[in-house]
Amino acid sequence: MMMMMMATTENEEQRSLELSGHVGFDSLPCQLVNKLVARGFCFNILCVGETGIGKSTLMSTLFGRTFENEEASHYEEEVRLRSQTYDLQENTVKLKLTIVHTAGFGDQINNEESYKPILDHIDAQFEKYLEEELKIKRSLFNYDDPRIHVCLYFISPNGHSLKALDLITMKKLESKVNLIPVIGKADIISKNDLKNLKRNIMNELLSYGVQIYQFPTEDEDVAEINSSINNCFPFAVVGSTDDVKIGNRMVKGRMYPWGAVQVENEDHCDLVKLREMLLRVNMEDLREQTHSRHYELFRRCKLEEMGFKDTDPDSQSFSLQETYEAKRKELIRELQHKEESMRQMFVNKVKETEAELKEKEKELQERFEQLKRLHHEEKKSLEEKRRELEEEMNAFNRRKVAADTLMGQALQGCSQQPLKKDKDKKNFFSLPSACSLTSGRNLN
Ligand code: GDP
């Protein structure tokens, strides 16, 4: 009791807080803003359009600085996406800006597949974000968001409306990204032609059901400006980083023999409207729509593909553990099935090869037997010939011996009866054995 009394006396000197006073949680938005400003922001723009339509120039004009960009050639074999990141700062706000260009778009003879590398790039960025989200140790707050927040689709000012390539590509992109169509190099056609071109483009987009990004009208602060700009699609833009002298002012523009196009003059083009909508009013909505609409769709499809569901057929909610187990079992079943079919394939292949080898072996055996027979017959006939030759040789030798004997006898007779020489000589040459002896010698 004494202790309590002492404590009260000491506390009397401390300041007292009134319960009805200012608590302070209304500073939460400021805390949030400070935290976000300290961290900085990411904004990623994809520029789709044919080479030389003015994509790089427009980016430099929009951000008021020159972005070094390698000039694209018209001889690319396929569409390639080139991305570059810049660290920008305006007052205290830091912005990591990534600009992605489509090199070679519309330059091939066959443009059928031109949209594919673009879709693949957008999906690859979603995939990276999903991977980060699913990591055990993730840091999404500090993660540099790689997802494409807006796609500026550049339409050529030449022609009366959209090309087939434009329609196909825009239709494929509509569910993946916030799509904003712009007419590039709008200064090269007359005001009337531009008006007709804009009308034709919008009619065509409407009749093919191509969904383009709509500036939000729910927030009453921006509802008026956004709904009026929603009727200005597609933006007709002119880009330039050159300064031209108008009166005694220097402005960004393009100088022609008949006058100057001022890119920031709303009577000349829609660049200011585009900058206003894209960067000053709706940048956060573009980032938000990317996350809540396009990324969400990608994530849902991807997770369903991986076997995740929110509810089972009895509308019971699935636990992550159950889903994981079910997917694991399914994968094991698939693996076993694949293993079995591969084993079967291997066995069949071995059997086929074995049969082929046996067939070959049989053929070789037959060939060998045939050669053996031929060899045997040839040997036999050679033996026969040899035998005949030997017989001939023997007969010849016999005749030779007989002839030699006769010759010897004849020579002996001559020496004993010289008078009968001529007669005997005649007889000798008329002898058949003598003839054959002569012919035998000639033969040799
Ligand atoms: P990219 O290949 O689409 O990036 O096109 P570039 O921005 O490199 O521009 C190609 C050429 O067109 C350059 O010579 C630019 O000066 C010119 N160019 C860019 N924008 C415009 C424009 O709005 N109007 C006109 N007339 N020319 C432009």
Side-chain angles (χ1 to χ4, degrees), residues 200-251:
N200 291 347
I201 289 171
M202 283 320 285
N203 286 344
E204 217 162 352
L205 288 178
L206 209 68
S207 63
Y208 284 93
V210 179
Q211 296 276 321
I212 56 175
Y213 172 75
Q214 293 292 305
F215 297 111
T217 50
E218 297 83 42
D219 181 352
E220 57 188 37
D221 289 345
V222 290
E224 198 182 329
I225 182 168
N226 277 357
S227 52
S228 72
I229 300 283
N230 274 337
N231 299 321
C232 292
F233 284 119
F235 296 106
V237 291
V238 179
S240 174
T241 46
D242 296 340
D243 292 313
V244 293
K245 194 163 187 188
I246 305 291
N248 49 11
R249 290 182 306 130
M250 292 302 281
V251 292

Side-chain angles (χ1 to χ4, degrees), residues 301-313:
C301 297
K302 199 76 192 173
L303 292 185
E304 276 173 2
E305 211 176 273
M306 285 161 77
F308 290 98
K309 288 185 198 105
D310 288 336
T311 55
D312 65 9

